[in-house]
Amino acid sequence: MVLNDLGRKITSALRRMTNTTVIDEAVLDDMLKDVSRALLEADVNVKLVAQLRNNVKKRVSIEELAAGVNKRKLIQKAVFDELCEMLDADNKPVVLKKGKPNVVMFVGLQGNGKTTSCAKYAYYHQRRGWKTCMVCADTFRAGAFDQLKQNATKAKIPFYGSYTETDPVKIATEGVARFKADAYELIIVDTSGRHRQESALFDEMEQMFTAVNPVDVVFVMDSSIGQGAFEHARAFRSRVNVGSVIVTKLDGHAKGGGALSAVAATDAPITFIGTGEHIDELEPFSATSFVQRLLGMGDVSGLVTSIKEAGLDQNPELYKRVMEGRFSLRDMYDQFQNMSKLGPLSKVVGMIPGMAEMMPAGKEKEGAARMSKFCTIMDSMTDEELDSQKLAFIPSRIVRIARGSGCHPRLVEELLVEYKRMSKLVESMGKMKGLKGMGDMSKAMPSQLSSQLGKAMDPRMLKQMGGTAGMQNMLKQLQSMGGGSGGGFPGM
């Protein structure tokens, strides 16, 4: 999850307030000071921080609250709402129309990841059934066309550009015309990077805007410049009609909070955030979902969407075996493969309520590598070893598997320990009277499910999820968005 430090500091401030016996003005002030300090350290503009603090105090007047009102919940909701308000722009992003040619022009400063973002943006829409292509109109930077060509080839996306033509407007016009003739739905035009003080490049950008007539202009902004993003975003918006913003490199800089809040302050909606170097590490941005994940509350709607996009919601066979309390190493292998389809482990963990706090900072990549190694070990097993639940893994068998997978026998033993833990959990679920014979878990009562599952779960995980009530709330959200189709909850 991006901005982990900021999230942990704000969560710690809220937890200290929640654990206080009596909530009064002094406790509220202390909590707001801690939250404000965390935001300032993330380079959020001091005026925005002061505004958040004043708005929370207006929403929550301790002295005027009636007796019996849950002050802790009220304060937490006020802080949550104000953080969402800070990151949410008033304007809505441009909606692309499928079946028609949509020209999208990318603009931004040099070195902000514009060309990479073009490829990510094209790949994101291609995976969702759009016919996408890319045009390189960056003739200013050496190697720009080579970079776009390499990214497009890797993602299997058609592209257009020229090594000899020096007029970017001509390249853009020819490329757009060619792809329109071939009935492409999304035509992405990559332009030269420019600074707000370079008037000649801004004039060129306006000429290109007039020539290709894009339905949307995407401004790409590097998060490392923090609140300096405000002036740059405003300068670009004054020259062309910027319809949406992509903030990049949020995975590696502490000033990301400042960049997000600064861009939102220009009223330009943030549509995507870049969370890594790989082509699939581009996430749609929603202020509510982002703040939920930031504060360790998870993003159930995002998790359901990811599950559906990966096609993991149609697995009735696994659901049936889980309900019968059967779980083999092959099932475990399938679940690890399914997890990898959902994206980076840090993203998946951030979507599950309470899980982000259980995984130490920086351990996400280590966990993903361990999962990959476990899959390699299971690739070295026979069908009998993968499918049987009663087969004894004697030392000679463990050594053979270790040699076949190129690892130490101790790692094979660690895999078996992990399998026994998961198998025990599934077995206990199969014995639950409340779950047997329900037919479809998605039609079960959330209260019934949460109480039964709570008994089988690790107490630490249950506590992080907010207890039985927190799990019940998550199950309600899953049911409302899952539509009750097919195979229950994958990955369980």
Side-chain angles (χ1 to χ4, degrees):
M1 172 59 191
V2 296
L3 299 173
N4 272 327
D5 287 342
L6 174 60
R8 285 193 180 92
K9 288 171 183 176
I10 295 176
T11 306
S12 298
L14 290 169
R15 187 180 291 116
R16 281 195 294 272
M17 181 271 298
T18 304
N19 293 337
T20 306
T21 309
V22 179
I23 304 293
D24 54 18
E25 287 288 347
V27 172
L28 178 61
D29 281 337
D30 288 342
M31 184 274 294
L32 287 174
K33 281 179 184 176
D34 290 338
V35 171
S36 299
R37 188 181 300 112
L39 291 170
L40 290 170
E41 287 174 358
D43 202 38
V44 177
N45 188 286
V46 66
K47 291 180 181 178
L48 293 175
V49 175
Q51 186 180 340
L52 177 140
R53 186 170 177 171
N54 292 333
N55 288 348
V56 171
K57 283 199 164 188
K58 285 178 185 176
R59 281 174 181 250
V60 185
S61 181
I62 299 291
E63 295 176 357
E64 295 177 9
L65 289 177
V69 174
N70 192 328
K71 297 176 183 178
R72 292 171 177 82
K73 291 285 184 186
L74 205 62
I75 293 170
Q76 286 174 346
K77 187 178 185 307
V79 172
F80 176 82
D81 289 344
E82 286 301 320
L83 286 170
C84 291
E85 186 73 25
M86 180 187 289
L87 296 175
D88 204 4
D90 293 333
N91 297 329
K92 298 297 179 185
V94 176
V95 179
L96 304 178
K97 295 178 181 177
K98 212 169 187 322
K100 295 183 178 180
N102 298 270
V103 180
V104 178
M105 191 169 97
F106 273 62
V107 300
L109 304 176
Q110 292 174 341
N112 279 5
K114 193 162 57 307
T115 304
T116 303
S117 295
C118 283
K120 288 181 179 181
Y121 188 83
Y123 182 71
Y124 174 87
H125 286 88
Q126 185 192 57
R127 288 180 63 191
R128 283 151 185 81
W130 288 74
K131 193 177 179 183
T132 63
C133 59
M134 295 161 63
V135 178
C136 180
D138 183 358
T139 58
F140 185 78
R141 177 171 65 91
F145 181 43
D146 286 327
Q147 184 187 353
L148 183 137
K149 183 178 178 181
Q150 186 179 20
N151 289 339
T153 304
K154 186 178 179 181
K156 297 179 181 178
I157 297 168
F159 61 93
Y160 179 85
S162 174
Y163 285 111
T164 56
E165 180 60 59
T166 57
D167 183 1
V169 178
K170 186 178 179 182
I171 293 173
T173 306
E174 289 177 354
V176 169
R178 178 175 294 189
F179 285 125
K180 276 186 177 180
D182 292 337
Y184 278 86
E185 297 172 312
L186 181 58
I187 305 167
I188 300 162
V189 180
D190 183 26
T191 65
S192 303
R194 61 207 77 226
H195 193 272
R196 61 191 172 97
Q197 294 175 341
E198 295 174 318
S199 58
L201 284 171
F202 267 88
D203 292 339
E204 177 195 287
M205 181 176 68
E206 287 180 327
Q207 292 170 17
M208 193 176 300
F209 178 84
T210 305
V212 301
N213 190 26
V215 296
D216 189 17
V217 176
V218 178
F219 175 55
V220 180
M221 172 56 62
D222 185 345
S223 66
S224 65
I225 67 172
Q227 58 182 284
F230 178 81
E231 290 298 331
H232 289 292
R234 190 167 65 174
F236 274 84
R237 288 204 78 194
S238 67
R239 299 296 292 267
V240 292
N241 185 24
V242 174
S244 52
V245 177
I246 294 178
V247 180
T248 63
K249 307 176 188 178
L250 268 170
D251 58 319
H253 211 281
K255 291 185 176 182
L260 288 171
S261 58
V263 171
T266 67
D267 289 336
I270 301 169
T271 51
F272 291 93
I273 52 175
T275 57
E277 295 178 359
H278 298 292
I279 198 164
D280 60 343
E281 292 180 329
L282 184 75
E283 296 180 19
F285 180 81
S286 162
T288 303
S289 297
F290 183 83
V291 174
Q292 283 178 336
R293 291 166 61 189
L294 188 71
L295 302 183
M297 298 161 66
D299 177 16
V300 177
S301 62
L303 181 61
V304 170
T305 302
S306 297
I307 287 170
K308 287 183 176 179
E309 286 176 355
L312 306 183
D313 57 334
Q314 303 296 329
N315 197 349
E317 285 299 317
L318 174 63
Y319 166 75
K320 184 181 177 182
R321 288 196 297 274
V322 168
M323 289 300 95
E324 293 173 356
R326 293 187 289 120
F327 190 76
S328 65
L329 276 164
R330 192 182 297 279
D331 293 326
M332 185 177 179
Y333 180 88
D334 290 341
Q335 291 310 291
F336 284 166
Q337 293 295 317
N338 289 343
M339 284 283 284
S340 64
K341 290 179 185 177
L342 293 175
L345 185 61
S346 57
K347 174 186 170 184
V348 179
V349 167
M351 288 179 175
I352 303 172
M355 284 295 290
E357 291 185 37
M358 291 190 70
M359 182 170 284
K363 292 290 183 180
E364 297 93 345
K365 289 184 179 179
E366 186 179 313
R370 183 179 172 85
M371 197 184 299
S372 176
K373 195 65 182 174
F374 280 169
C375 286
T376 304
I377 292 171
M378 286 185 277
D379 281 333
S380 300
M381 294 182 181
T382 63
D383 288 340
E384 184 186 10
E385 289 165 345
L386 287 172
D387 295 324
S388 175
Q389 292 177 259
K390 297 181 180 179
L391 191 67
F393 281 84
I394 57 177
S396 60
R397 191 186 296 272
I398 291 173
V399 170
R400 193 209 83 234
I401 294 169
R403 284 176 178 171
S405 57
C407 71
H408 195 279
R410 189 184 299 114
L411 197 58
V412 180
E413 291 171 356
E414 289 176 11
L415 166 64
L416 295 174
V417 170
E418 189 66 26
Y419 164 68
K420 286 177 183 176
R421 187 187 67 79
M422 292 179 71
S423 181
K424 189 177 179 182
L425 173 62
V426 172
E427 188 179 340
S428 61
M429 286 178 64
K431 293 176 181 177
M432 291 179 188
K433 295 178 182 178
L435 297 183
K436 275 191 174 182
M438 278 184 180
D440 187 353
M441 191 184 287
S442 62
K443 296 176 183 175
M445 292 292 290
S447 56
Q448 207 173 4
L449 276 174
S450 58
S451 60
Q452 295 279 18
L453 292 174
K455 295 174 185 176
M457 282 183 67
D458 186 330
R460 294 176 304 156
M461 185 183 293
L462 185 63
K463 184 180 177 183
Q464 290 290 351
M465 292 177 72
T468 307
M471 181 186 284
Q472 186 174 330
N473 183 47
M474 187 182 79
L475 290 172
K476 282 180 181 177
Q477 291 183 62
L478 280 168
Q479 285 186 350
S480 65
M481 287 172 285
S485 61
F489 304 132
M492 188 169 281

